[in-house]
Amino acid sequence: MTTPLTPGDGPALQDLLERCDDYSRMNFGIPTGAADAQSQFLEGLQHVPEERKHLLG
């Protein structure tokens, strides 16, 4: 089951990203940043129109 995420889910998403730091290091070569969750909500896939963009968790 997937659930659309909202900015209110940011703290929980940030916690998850920090606990899964090995994913960031393995895929991007850098540790999880302090604002990675926030950037997912603000930036995400910049080339995708806003009405077609969904962040699921």
Side-chain angles (χ1 to χ4, degrees):
M1 179 177 165
T2 58
T3 303
L5 300 179
T6 67
D9 296 311
L13 178 58
Q14 183 66 34
D15 180 60
L16 175 65
L17 293 173
E18 289 174 5
R19 287 187 287 127
C20 299
D21 184 62
D22 55 336
Y23 174 83
S24 180
R25 291 175 186 272
M26 184 173 50
N27 286 288
F28 307 112
I30 56 173
T32 299
D36 280 359
Q38 181 181 10
S39 70
Q40 290 296 316
F41 288 105
L42 296 177
E43 298 171 13
L45 299 172
Q46 293 182 344
H47 64 280
V48 176
E50 195 65 36
E51 65 274 4
R52 299 203 54 196
K53 194 181 302 187
H54 304 283
L55 185 58
L56 302 174

